[in-house]
Amino acid sequence: MRIAIVGAGIVGVTTAFELATAGHEVTVFERRGSVASEGSFASGGLISPATLSPWGLPGAPWQRPRLRGAAALTQLPWLWRAWRARRPAAAVAQGQALQALGQFSRQRLLTLTQGLRLEFEQTPGCLVLLRGERDLKALQPLLARLRDGGVAHELADPERCRVLEPGLAEGTPLHAGLHIAQDGAGNCRQFAHLMKAEAQRLGARFRFDTPVQALRPGTPAVVVPEGGEPESFDAVIACTGADAAPLLARAGVKLPLVALHGYSVTAPLRHLDGLPPPGPRAALIDAREQVTLTRLGQRVRVSGMGELGGDLADVSLPPLRRLYRVLDTWFPGAVLERGAQHWKGARPMLPDGCPVLGASGQPGLWLNLGHGQHGWALACGSARVLADLVTGREAALDTAPLALQRLR
């Protein structure tokens, strides 16, 4: 089959690899000059299937996004849908599907890393930090799901938490921690570049600096590059980012997709002679602040926040200050702020916090998008499942709860 993929973020690149591995002729259209140049560029790096859950499940983390600028007011209907999605009626099946996809994705990532001998920055282990009793109480539904799902985990007391993470500040209140040894973190952008090279080795073509103007579903389906001639394919897969809704709407697919802006700070660790590097050893989640701290080589990445509205080029100071504050709460003086990189990226979010995976309802057009902040955690599994669906093979997972129909 001749297959086009629109978008070369982490989801698009892994999808290209899976289809090229199956022997298909793959062309990837990307408006930027490289892979992982937008939402995948400096993401938190967290790979924690155990903590994935739709917003509608009890105990699922959800904070109302910060509204910024007049443009954010146009997203009030989306916020209403997001609030309604917190009703748990349909979320149980979605939660099971999301957990299964996350676990499958982590295993697929491990298989690819070992089988292809890929080397990129990784850190094993994830520790959810609970500042007080109310944080532990809010975590009970997740703990129940982990027990019911047979997911190995440890509810650690403060002393055990500091054995796992000896750099944690002694003066910061710590009630308990949820340790998930099988989860962890990794450098999403590094992995994306490695997968691009592997896909190219198998014959996939990447056309950078090529925005797509229109998609025309049909048999064949057509991609119209900006300033270029229409090109026909047996299938087109949209792995597009947060501003893809207008492009898909013109193709007859309406999605309540918005750009939820997230922030990250990546800073080099401070080195002191004769002492081990400060900072986290692995991946940490501050449950109350909903901020992630991950170790990437000799750097720390702190990420979080959710902002509707504003401009990607306009990096707001309050979210960055909050990230620095959380970092200093747990690891005071651990980084060199002068060498820090500040980043703001657009996460493609749907109202229930889950991706869309499968057929679009339009002939020849498929969807693998809307992963939000979990694109890195779900990319490898989503790519494999979508490749199976497009080519008519039996998929490893039931993705019906993640299909487009749930948003109708």
Side-chain angles (χ1 to χ4, degrees), residues 78-144:
W78 184 90
L79 278 173
W80 170 248
R81 291 192 64 168
W83 180 80
R84 291 188 65 200
R86 292 189 60 74
R87 297 180 302 176
V92 174
Q94 283 181 332
Q96 292 171 345
L98 203 60
Q99 284 282 325
L101 180 60
Q103 297 292 349
F104 177 66
S105 187
R106 188 196 53 178
Q107 185 57 49
R108 185 63 183 156
L109 171 62
L110 180 62
T111 299
L112 293 175
T113 300
Q114 294 177 345
L116 299 173
R117 298 182 180 180
L118 303 178
E119 295 185 4
F120 60 100
E121 293 171 335
Q122 299 181 70
T123 50
C126 176
L127 180 63
V128 182
L129 299 170
L130 307 171
R131 295 177 181 237
E133 180 65 33
R134 70 182 177 96
D135 300 317
L136 179 58
K137 184 177 180 180
L139 201 71
Q140 292 305 311
L142 173 59
L143 292 172

Side-chain angles (χ1 to χ4, degrees), residues 141-380:
L142 173 59
L143 292 172
R145 290 196 292 273
L146 295 180
R147 289 192 296 267
D148 294 344
V151 178
H153 63 282
E154 174 190 4
L155 188 59
D157 61 21
E159 290 73 24
R160 172 62 176 159
C161 289
R162 289 191 164 88
V163 169
L164 295 167
E165 288 288 346
L168 288 171
E170 290 289 344
T172 300
L174 178 59
H175 184 72
L178 171 62
H179 182 230
I180 308 164
Q182 63 188 12
D183 291 353
N187 192 315
C188 175
R189 186 164 178 261
Q190 283 184 355
F191 184 81
H193 278 275
L194 293 171
M195 293 306 293
K196 173 199 133 185
E198 293 295 332
Q200 287 177 318
R201 181 177 59 82
L202 295 168
R205 296 173 59 227
F206 285 80
R207 294 173 55 177
F208 295 110
D209 298 311
T210 308
V212 171
Q213 179 178 328
L215 301 174
R216 297 176 187 165
T219 310
V222 175
V223 175
V224 184
E226 193 173 284
E229 295 295 320
E231 302 179 38
S232 298
F233 296 90
D234 297 307
V236 175
I237 305 171
C239 299
T240 39
D243 57 357
L247 175 67
L248 293 170
R250 292 193 295 272
V253 181
K254 294 185 178 181
L255 281 177
L257 190 71
V258 301
L260 189 65
H261 294 151
Y263 288 77
S264 72
V265 171
T266 307
L269 288 165
R270 187 186 302 275
H271 290 278
L272 301 173
D273 290 342
L275 296 175
R281 288 184 172 181
L284 305 180
I285 302 172
D286 186 317
R288 185 173 299 180
E289 295 287 339
Q290 287 299 298
V291 168
T292 299
L293 304 92
T294 54
R295 177 72 170 267
L296 297 175
Q298 296 306 307
R299 299 165 298 152
V300 173
R301 179 165 293 165
V302 190
S303 60
M305 316 302 296
E307 186 177 85
L308 277 175
D311 188 331
L312 268 181
D314 181 15
V315 179
S316 177
L317 290 179
L320 291 175
R321 292 194 190 103
R322 181 176 170 187
L323 295 180
Y324 275 115
R325 186 175 70 251
V326 173
L327 174 61
D328 287 339
T329 294
W330 296 110
F331 301 99
V335 301
L336 298 169
E337 292 188 18
R338 283 190 303 173
Q341 174 196 55
H342 298 159
W343 176 81
K344 178 181 179 182
R347 302 163 175 164
M349 296 293 295
L350 291 160
D352 57 8
C354 294
V356 170
L357 191 59
S360 72
Q362 298 292 335
L365 180 58
W366 298 79
L367 305 175
N368 188 7
L369 50 79
H371 296 75
Q373 71 268 39
H374 303 308
W376 176 214
L378 297 173
C380 293

